[in-house]
């Protein structure tokens, strides 16, 4: 009898076939229960504790003009396994983490199959194919049944005419699924299921289009960009776009795996920004040694519109201006400057020749003597059209990497272009900052030279947006959702800061929504190993105390935790770099009082805390701040007032090791 009981328990934990055509898999901690049904068509449902998070949901692949591989499926084998490992994660939110899951793998008679993995942090599935034939994927069935009354956070496309062509930058519509707009939303997206939230993501996206979602009654349904048939160029930037599509979404030849469909499950909001499933499910490092990759901060030109005050030369895209940026970066130990759009004639697409006002070799040598590297801006397809020559030429010249922009799509050919670029850049020891691109899908694990992504409603939006695009609200929402996918190039650092009453868009002299300290907190709250100081060097030089404070904040950490916070309201993030800690918080437009305790510090050690906080008048003048110092230990707590749209940063350095 005991032997029979043990067999039954093992089957239930690791995907045993408890009944005909039904397979059950539990998470290692037994909280998540996945049930897979292969009767007639493939479906699954998921429980967290006693609550059903996702009701019966159909999945499949439609190939060969209408054949759904999930209908009338014949399972020829099932296999279960368990994995518990440590994943090293250079330039990620921590240097390593534990990866523990149970897996079920089903193989079908038609050569296709399904793999499911259930983690303590969520679950995932992917289709695969074993064989030699060519498969045109007409569509993918992904009908996720949450129920129309459940609340969701959905970032919609910003292009109603051509919805799959846009920059993947929008605020969230916080609504019920039944009342959501009938337009596609890009990932990640989050659903509140009561006792837990489910965030939909994807990982290991290779030679396949990215997933979008559209609300339909009780369902969030997956939709995908079609495979391009004809490309054309816009008359500006030599930027390519899809002019005509085929009637299928993807084509694959021979054995392959399709993307992981990821469902991160979080009982507490504070678990969301530190969920590692996307990174864990990606392919391991393909480039080998990463010692040459140098994360860092960047003095950036574009957001501040090349505005320099009090200089004796005409500021703009020219030699003297960039030497000034290099000098500023060097004085503040900032690792890079970016030459953004304008350093070459982007309309012609001639990236091999800088404009006449730029002597690139001279700037590289000037920066090298001051320990400042140069990163160049480019359009994706411009790089791709002459990739090897461009990478070799500029790597040999001494350029450190590229900020690549305006992909604005994620069909199969776009995804393939990004991987080509990452691979070639790595071969030539070039780092990449990817802009105008879809959300991270784990490619930064496979190619660690990708050290940042945009796909965020970032600071650039403040040059032209409106006050109803509530950025302080967004700033305490996207770290819970978007940052699950990976790092963000939000480009913080505004030195002109506005309250809710006095903020206004200004393209030439932009300002941020919220306080000066809210901006400073971005450098800790956001995962960003290649992060901008977006404002003008002369604006920073006018407040050297504040500038030195943010310049000293690291960009890579050994450990990250979220001590407290609530999506859409506020967030507090704590990160450890060696034996130093950096803690930061941000709020929406609501001022609030919170208590910060330091129980995460090492017991028996005294620390010096240097606190950058909203000034007493910050609700009226968003640029008001002050810096205070005190001593703290693991038993300490501090009461902190955060102004409307405000924030704080605390840097903590050990002063002794005595008990």
């Amino acid at each position: 009898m005991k032997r029979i009981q043990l067999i039954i328990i093992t089957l239930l934990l690791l995907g045993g076939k408890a009944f005909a055509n039904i397979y059950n898999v539990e998470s290692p901690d037994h909280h998540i229960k996945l049930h897979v049904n292969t009767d007639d068509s493939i479906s699954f449902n998921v429980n967290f504790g006693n609550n059903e998070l996702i009701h019966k949901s159909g999945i499949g692949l439609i190939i060969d003009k209408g054949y759904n591989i999930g209908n009338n499926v014949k399972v020829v084998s099932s296999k279960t396994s368990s994995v518990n490992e440590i994943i090293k994660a250079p330039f990620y939110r921590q240097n390593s983490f534990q990866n523990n899951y149970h897996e079920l793998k089903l193989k079908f008679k038609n050569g296709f199959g399904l793999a499911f993995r259930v983690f303590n942090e969520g679950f995932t599935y992917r289709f695969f194919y074993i064989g030699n034939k060519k498969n045109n994927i007409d569509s993918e069935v992904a009908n996720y049944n949450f129920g129309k009354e459940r609340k969701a956070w959905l970032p919609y496309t910003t292009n109603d005419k051509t919805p799959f062509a846009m920059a993947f930058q929008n605020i969230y519509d916080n609504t019920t699924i039944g009342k959501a707009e009938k337009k596609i939303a890009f990932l990640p997206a989050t659903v509140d299921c009561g006792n837990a939230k489910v965030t939909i993501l994807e990982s290991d996206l290779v030679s396949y289009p990215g997933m979008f979602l559209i609300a339909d009654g009780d369902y969030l349904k997956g939709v995908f960009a079609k495979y391009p048939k004809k490309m054309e160029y816009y008359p500006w930037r030599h930027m390519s776009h899809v002019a005509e599509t085929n009637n299928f979404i993807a084509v694959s030849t021979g054995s392959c795996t399709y993307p992981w469909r990821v469902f991160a499950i979080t009982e507490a909001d504070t678990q969301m920004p530190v969920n590692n499933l996307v990174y864990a499910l990606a392919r391991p490092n393909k480039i080998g040694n990463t010692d040459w990759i140098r994360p860092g901060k960047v003095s950036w030109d574009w957001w501040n519109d090349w505005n320099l005050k009090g200089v004796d030369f005409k500021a703009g895209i020219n030699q003297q201006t960039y030497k000034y940026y290099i000098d500023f970066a060097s004085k503040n130990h900032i690792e890079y400057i970016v030459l953004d759009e304008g350093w070459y004639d982007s309309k012609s697409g001639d990236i091999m020749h800088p404009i006449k006002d730029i002597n690139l070799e001279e700037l590289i040598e000037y920066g090298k003597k001051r320990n400042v590297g140069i990163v160049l801006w480019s359009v994706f397809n411009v790089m791709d059209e002459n990739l090897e020559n461009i990478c070799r030429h500029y790597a040999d010249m001494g350029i450190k990497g590229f900020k690549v922009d305006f992909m604005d799509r994620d069909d199969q050919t776009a995804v393939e272009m990004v991987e080509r670029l990452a691979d070639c850049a790595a071969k030539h020891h070039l780092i990449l900052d990817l802009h105008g691109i879809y959300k991270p899908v784990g490619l930064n694990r496979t190619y660690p030279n990708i050290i940042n992504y945009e796909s965020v409603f970032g600071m650039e939006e403040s040059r032209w947006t409106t006050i109803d695009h509530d950025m302080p609200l967004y700033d305490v929402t996207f770290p819970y959702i978007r940052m699950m996918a990976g790092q963000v190039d939000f480009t913080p650092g505004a030195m002109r800061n506005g309250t809710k009453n006095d903020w206004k868009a200004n393209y030439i002299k932009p300002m941020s929504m919220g306080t000066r300290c809210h901006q400073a907190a971005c450098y800790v709250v956001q995962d960003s190993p290649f992060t901008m100081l977006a404002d003008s060097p002369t604006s920073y030089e006018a407040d050297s105390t504040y500038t030195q404070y943010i310049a000293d904040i690291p960009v890579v950490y050994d450990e990250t935790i979220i001590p407290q916070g609530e999506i859409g309201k506020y967030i507090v993030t704590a990160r450890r770099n060696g034996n130093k800690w950096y803690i930061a918080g941000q709020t929406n437009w609501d001022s609030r009082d919170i208590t910060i305790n330091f129980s995460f510090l090492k017991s028996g050690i005294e620390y010096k805390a240097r606190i950058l906080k909203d000034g007493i008048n910050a609700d009226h003048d968003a640029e008001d701040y002050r810096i205070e110092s005190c001593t703290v230990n693991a038993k300490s707590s501090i009461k902190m007032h955060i102004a409307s749209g405000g924030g704080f940063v605390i840097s903590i350095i050990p002063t002794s090791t005595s008990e």
Side-chain angles (χ1 to χ4, degrees):
M1 178 64 73
K2 289 183 178 179
R3 178 180 171 84
I4 294 172
Q5 290 175 335
L6 181 61
I7 291 172
I8 292 173
I9 291 170
T10 303
L11 286 170
L12 290 172
L13 289 179
L14 293 180
K17 195 170 183 180
F19 303 99
N21 303 319
I22 296 177
Y23 303 82
N24 303 294
V25 194
E26 287 191 358
S27 59
D29 64 7
H30 314 308
H31 291 163
I32 301 171
K33 299 177 177 65
L34 171 69
H35 312 288
V36 180
N37 190 327
T38 59
D39 278 330
D40 298 328
S41 60
I42 304 170
S43 65
F44 69 82
N45 62 291
V46 181
N47 286 72
F48 183 76
N50 296 321
N51 185 37
E52 188 171 61
L53 299 185
I54 305 177
H55 313 306
K56 185 177 180 181
S57 300
I59 57 176
L61 289 177
I62 299 176
I63 64 173
D64 297 334
K65 298 180 180 180
Y67 170 59
N68 187 339
I69 68 160
N71 287 345
N72 301 309
V73 66
K74 304 296 183 184
V75 178
V76 296
S77 71
S78 64
K79 180 182 178 181
T80 59
S81 60
S82 181
V83 171
N84 192 359
E85 62 183 354
I86 299 295
I87 291 179
K88 293 183 179 180
F91 323 123
Y92 190 54
R93 62 177 67 107
Q94 67 262 327
N95 55 23
S96 65
F97 61 90
Q98 188 173 32
N99 185 41
N100 187 10
Y101 62 85
H102 292 154
E103 182 175 67
L104 165 69
K105 186 170 287 187
L106 303 176
K107 292 183 180 178
F108 309 147
K109 189 176 180 179
N110 55 21
F112 285 88
L114 259 176
F116 294 90
R117 292 180 182 177
V118 185
F119 307 74
N120 294 337
E121 302 83 13
F123 76 96
T124 184
Y125 72 87
R126 80 185 316 172
F127 288 94
F128 60 87
Y129 173 71
I130 301 173
N132 298 315
K133 68 176 286 191
K134 178 181 177 181
N135 291 301
N136 279 15
I137 311 299
D138 294 341
S139 186
E140 179 178 337
V141 178
N143 297 329
Y144 306 136
N145 185 357
F146 288 97
K148 63 184 178 182
E149 298 302 324
R150 283 181 171 165
K151 187 168 70 171
W153 285 261
L154 301 171
Y156 300 123
T157 177
T158 52
N159 188 341
D160 291 333
K161 183 178 179 181
T162 313
F164 293 104
M166 43 92 199
F168 301 86
Q169 297 168 230
N170 204 356
I171 60 175
Y172 297 96
D173 182 15
N174 187 200
T175 182
T176 61
I177 291 173
K179 294 181 180 178
E181 294 186 36
K182 301 305 178 186
K183 59 196 302 186
I184 65 170
F186 52 90
L187 300 185
T190 295
V191 180
D192 190 343
C193 298
N195 67 333
K197 291 183 175 71
V198 177
T199 302
I200 305 171
L201 308 108
E202 60 186 332
S203 183
D204 205 18
L205 180 68
V206 182
S207 293
Y208 199 86
M211 175 184 274
F212 293 78
L213 297 171
I214 190 165
D216 184 5
D218 291 325
Y219 294 86
L220 290 176
K221 294 186 174 183
V223 289
F224 304 84
K226 299 289 188 181
Y227 192 96
K229 187 175 183 179
K230 180 182 178 183
M231 303 296 295
E232 292 182 352
Y233 289 95
Y234 290 121
W236 59 91
R237 295 193 182 101
H238 192 70
M239 176 181 163
S240 66
H241 66 96
V242 179
E244 187 178 347
T245 63
N246 289 281
N247 59 1
F248 54 87
I249 66 170
V251 58
S252 58
T253 302
S255 298
C256 67
T257 55
Y258 298 99
W260 286 110
R261 305 283 165 237
V262 183
F263 301 80
I265 297 174
T266 46
E267 191 171 13
D269 289 356
T270 51
Q271 298 168 341
M272 297 174 73
V274 289
N275 185 286
N276 298 318
L277 288 183
V278 170
Y279 193 96
L281 288 159
R283 291 165 295 161
N285 177 355
K286 287 184 66 174
I287 70 174
N289 175 43
T290 60
D291 291 346
W292 59 271
I293 299 172
R294 185 187 181 202
K297 290 197 175 70
V298 188
S299 180
W300 186 35
D301 52 2
W302 180 87
W303 190 80
N304 58 78
D305 206 40
W306 297 267
N307 282 321
L308 297 175
K309 300 176 183 177
V311 297
D312 58 0
F313 56 86
K314 183 77 170 177
I317 305 173
N318 58 48
Q319 206 74 353
Q320 289 176 294
T321 297
Y322 285 121
K323 284 184 177 180
Y324 196 100
Y325 278 78
I326 290 170
D327 288 338
F328 165 73
S330 180
K331 290 174 186 175
N332 291 280
H333 306 290
I334 294 167
E335 291 83 355
Y336 296 99
I337 70 164
V338 166
L339 273 61
D340 213 288
E341 182 171 15
W343 73 271
Y344 74 90
D345 180 5
S346 56
K347 187 174 182 180
S348 71
D350 183 10
I351 194 174
M352 298 298 283
H353 298 94
I355 62 172
K356 61 180 178 62
D357 290 331
I358 296 293
N359 183 332
L360 202 49
E361 291 91 341
E362 182 187 11
L363 284 179
I364 292 167
E365 186 62 26
Y366 191 83
K368 184 178 180 180
K369 291 178 180 177
R370 291 156 179 80
N371 203 30
V372 177
I374 294 178
V375 171
L376 300 176
W377 175 94
S378 176
V379 173
F380 269 97
N381 62 273
V382 170
M383 289 284 293
D384 190 56
E385 289 164 9
N386 193 16
L387 184 55
E388 173 63 30
N389 286 337
I390 292 169
C391 288
R392 183 178 61 251
H393 174 73
Y394 284 112
D396 289 347
M397 190 182 291
I399 289 299
K400 301 302 181 182
F402 286 92
K403 174 184 174 182
V404 197
D405 208 348
F406 294 111
M407 173 61 77
D408 290 1
R409 56 192 181 94
D410 70 348
D411 55 71
Q412 181 177 340
T413 62
V415 171
E416 291 168 341
M417 185 192 302
V418 175
E419 182 142 359
R420 279 195 302 273
L421 177 56
D423 186 74
C424 189
K427 184 174 73 172
H428 292 280
H429 284 195
L430 295 166
I431 61 172
L432 293 175
D433 177 20
L434 304 182
H435 269 242
I437 191 172
Y438 49 89
K439 77 283 173 192
V441 289
L443 196 63
N444 53 300
R445 180 184 178 190
T446 314
Y447 295 93
N449 57 314
I450 301 175
I451 58 174
N452 222 341
Y453 285 82
E454 193 180 24
S455 187
V456 66
F457 193 82
M459 272 279 292
E460 69 177 36
E461 301 287 342
S462 65
R463 295 183 75 175
W464 54 71
T465 193
T466 55
I467 192 67
D468 58 304
H469 286 164
D470 188 335
M471 294 193 73
L473 169 63
Y474 181 77
D475 293 350
V476 294
T477 303
F478 85 79
Y480 293 96
I481 301 174
R482 162 62 181 80
M483 264 181 14
M484 280 200 199
Q487 60 261 52
V488 292
D489 196 2
F490 183 86
T491 67
M495 296 296 283
R496 298 177 74 240
N497 316 107
T499 66
K500 193 173 185 178
N501 292 327
D502 64 18
W503 178 88
K504 61 180 63 177
N506 188 323
Y507 193 87
I508 303 301
K509 294 183 178 180
M511 64 192 303
S512 71
M513 295 186 197
T515 70
R516 178 78 55 86
C517 291
H518 185 100
Q519 284 291 295
C522 293
Y523 292 98
V524 178
V525 170
Q526 297 166 9
D527 296 331
S528 187
F530 183 81
T531 192
M532 308 291 171
L533 271 72
D535 221 318
S536 166
T538 53
S539 295
Y540 289 121
E541 288 166 342
D543 189 348
S544 59
T545 301
Y546 175 86
T547 299
Q548 195 59 58
Y549 193 103
I550 62 173
D552 287 344
I553 297 172
V555 297
V556 175
Y557 296 89
D558 302 305
E559 182 181 355
T560 298
I561 59 175
I562 311 298
Q564 56 181 299
E566 184 177 349
I567 186 170
K569 293 185 178 180
Y570 78 108
I571 187 170
V572 176
T573 302
R575 301 186 191 262
R576 180 178 62 82
N577 178 281
N579 62 359
K580 301 176 183 178
W581 282 87
Y582 297 83
I583 308 164
Q586 293 175 304
T587 184
N588 56 18
W589 282 122
D590 297 327
S591 62
R592 65 185 70 245
D593 296 298
I594 63 172
T595 298
I596 303 166
N597 72 68
F598 299 92
S599 58
F600 51 84
L601 296 177
K602 191 172 182 179
S603 179
I605 297 179
E606 294 294 313
Y607 295 81
K608 179 182 178 181
R610 193 161 178 255
I611 306 168
L612 175 72
K613 58 189 287 188
D614 293 321
I616 195 169
N617 297 308
D619 287 313
H620 177 69
D621 179 358
E623 295 174 9
D624 183 32
Y625 74 91
R626 61 184 299 176
I627 296 177
E628 299 175 349
S629 295
C630 65
T631 301
V632 298
N633 57 44
K635 297 179 180 179
S636 300
S637 62
I638 293 177
K639 291 184 178 180
M640 182 76 67
H641 176 74
I642 312 176
S644 170
F648 67 88
V649 181
I650 308 174
S651 63
I652 300 178
I653 301 173
T655 59
S656 73
T657 57
S658 60
E659 293 293 325

